[in-house]
Amino acid sequence: MPKLVDRVKPLKNRKRKKLSAEGRWGFLMVSPYLIQFVVFLSFPLAASLYFSFSKYDMLNAPKWIGVENYTTLIQDPVFHKALWNTFYFTILFVPAQTILALVLAVALNQSLKGLKFFRIAHFIPVICSWTVVLYVADAILNPRFGLANTILVKLGNNPQPWLSDEALIIPVLVAVAVWKGVGYMMIIFLAGLQNVPEDLYEAAEIEGAGVWKKFRHVTVPLISGTTFLVLVLTTITTFQSFEQIYVMTSHLGDVTSAGGPNNASMVLMLYLFQQGFSFLKMGYASAIAWVLFIILFGITMIQLKLQKKWVYYEK
């Protein structure tokens, strides 16, 4: 027995050395990402957290002021407006883009002539910059010669100030954002639809299920994981909206003029940018960033909790 134990111990040591060598190679392989994570993510996160409790203008050293930035946020009416506009934008945008992307994906998942052309056509706006989208939107929404008002006038209605009306600005921005981004979510839904087994549709047809019942009882449950992914990605993207609103509401590229009219299109990311880089209130901007992070984290956790009740994962 002692001899057997003596043989086993060196074997264990060799395994440990082998695992240790593999571990070193593993760390070596992931070291570029770890360095990037520490330098470009962890350090900026820690710095922004410190700045959120400081008065900092990027020209002088930060001065610790405790929770003053956060108490100012609570009393800031523009922040309240930006927070409401962000939620309003999200409430309109997330279901609109999700539903439209699903409808397009189902339509383009059929055996149709020119299918590749239609898929590419719906994806082109995704790869266009917001500057290009601005010119397209202006051709449609311009109050004097835009296509939308031209059609309204011909129908006997009054022209509308699409981008200067406080009640219309957010719905108009949502419509443009949906048009630009729906192609990306459509591709994600297409990937999910093409993973649904055909034999399930055949079995449903044998039992007399029509198009709607097959969609409701076969397609929807089996792409629920994809739908959940789209909802999470769309929500995060919406809360980070900046470029579109800056491009479409600013006057001659002046960021301080963006968010109009009367802050009707001011959202959290735009307000954060204005405070940090236009007014050099980097501490205040950092506080806004952390509030935005907490809101997004909370919404994502709620989505993860609720997905257990309706998301189906095939075992």
Side-chain angles (χ1 to χ4, degrees), residues 86-143:
T86 302
F87 277 107
Y88 182 33
F89 193 102
T90 303
I91 291 168
L92 294 181
F93 179 78
V94 172
Q97 175 154 286
T98 303
I99 294 171
L100 183 57
L102 177 58
V103 170
L104 289 174
V106 171
L108 297 178
N109 195 40
Q110 312 300 319
S111 298
L112 302 172
K113 291 183 178 180
L115 190 62
K116 291 183 179 179
F117 168 78
F118 288 109
R119 288 180 179 177
I120 293 171
H122 284 94
F123 194 76
I124 285 176
V126 176
I127 60 177
C128 292
S129 69
W130 275 110
T131 305
V132 174
V133 173
L134 172 64
Y135 285 107
V136 176
D138 186 64
I140 298 173
L141 303 173
N142 190 284

Side-chain angles (χ1 to χ4, degrees), residues 195-206 214 218 222 314:
N195 283 326
V196 178
E198 286 294 330
D199 57 346
L200 294 180
Y201 291 119
E202 294 172 0
E205 287 180 1
I206 292 173
K214 285 192 293 183
V218 179
L222 291 180
E314 188 175 0

Side-chain angles (χ1 to χ4, degrees), residues 105 109 185-196 223 226:
N109 195 40
M185 298 305 167
M186 177 196 73
I187 295 297
I188 296 177
F189 271 124
L190 268 174
L193 288 169
Q194 291 174 0
N195 283 326
V196 178
I223 65 166
T226 304

